[in-house]
Amino acid sequence: MNVTTIKVDEVGMVRDALFESGLLTDATTMVDVGAHKGTSFSSFVRSGWDVWAFEPSTVMYDGLIERFGHWPNLQIFPVAISDAIADDVSFYTSDQSTGISSLLDFHPSHELSETVATRRLDALPLDHLDFLKIDTEGYDRNVFRSCGSLVPRVIVTEFEDSKTLELGYSAGDYAEELVEAGYR
């Protein structure tokens, strides 16, 4: 059996729409929650956008500072974003993939690696948010709920029941919440 893997770059699609189509010609602010290696925000930073990046993994955060810390229009924070503020939340990493680090212990390879702080997006000193990217391995709805009155114009977020059901919601529940908030 031949298996073909198709990789879709959702953030790249949004970037292209924003940069090339003129949909948001006055757009200037991006928030990247779960910044990982900086792949999603890097072209926005280079294009002059103000970017706020959040990465709770100490190892990944240190790498972001090393690679991108010199950009004056980029703020990088070593915290997780959620709808609750806390200072000592368990954070799990995997020796199989840095891309599945999470506040949720959902993978057999996960090990507790550190404790992290969680903060809310509505605490940011922003009067608008043009693009919000959320990749938090299950906590995406919690991040969305932390926006409060800060309403992102465009959102890229994950839907995956294998992670979210453990947190008490399905991808469909989250999708309904986004639709009720006016997103398509």
Side-chain angles (χ1 to χ4, degrees), residues 14 17-19 21-28 49 130-131 153-154:
V14 169
L18 295 176
F19 290 170
S21 72
L23 289 175
L24 297 177
T25 55
D26 60 337
T28 58
W49 282 46
D130 299 300
F131 179 38
R153 293 171 75 182
V154 177

Side-chain angles (χ1 to χ4, degrees), residues 81-83 134 136-147 157-159 164 167-178:
I81 298 297
S82 186
D83 53 350
I134 310 171
T136 57
E137 306 304 315
Y139 277 80
D140 300 65
R141 182 175 79 167
N142 303 68
V143 172
F144 174 68
R145 287 181 170 181
S146 82
C147 289
T157 186
E158 288 188 331
F159 297 83
T164 62
L167 296 171
Y169 74 96
S170 70
D173 297 334
Y174 183 31
E176 285 179 27
E177 189 169 329
L178 289 167

Side-chain angles (χ1 to χ4, degrees), residues 77-179:
F77 300 93
V79 298
I81 298 297
S82 186
D83 53 350
I85 296 172
D87 289 325
D88 293 310
V89 179
S90 297
F91 189 73
Y92 301 91
T93 57
S94 167
D95 59 3
Q96 291 185 9
S97 171
T98 59
I100 63 169
S101 299
S102 179
L103 300 175
L104 179 65
D105 182 10
F106 68 86
H107 195 271
S109 67
H110 272 155
E111 292 189 21
L112 176 62
S113 63
E114 59 188 306
T115 59
V116 300
T118 58
R119 298 296 183 257
R120 295 178 53 91
L121 288 179
D122 58 6
L124 293 176
L126 297 175
D127 58 2
H128 74 282
L129 176 53
D130 299 300
F131 179 38
L132 171 60
K133 178 237 139 189
I134 310 171
D135 185 355
T136 57
E137 306 304 315
Y139 277 80
D140 300 65
R141 182 175 79 167
N142 303 68
V143 172
F144 174 68
R145 287 181 170 181
S146 82
C147 289
S149 62
L150 183 63
V151 180
R153 293 171 75 182
V154 177
I155 300 174
V156 168
T157 186
E158 288 188 331
F159 297 83
E160 192 172 344
D161 282 345
S162 66
K163 299 167 189 166
T164 62
L165 290 177
E166 223 175 300
L167 296 171
Y169 74 96
S170 70
D173 297 334
Y174 183 31
E176 285 179 27
E177 189 169 329
L178 289 167
V179 169

Side-chain angles (χ1 to χ4, degrees), residues 49-71:
W49 282 46
D50 291 323
V51 175
W52 301 70
F54 298 88
E55 178 51 56
S57 165
T58 300
V59 171
M60 301 312 292
Y61 170 80
D62 290 346
L64 289 172
I65 293 296
E66 184 177 315
R67 285 190 307 282
F68 299 103
H70 64 280
W71 288 89

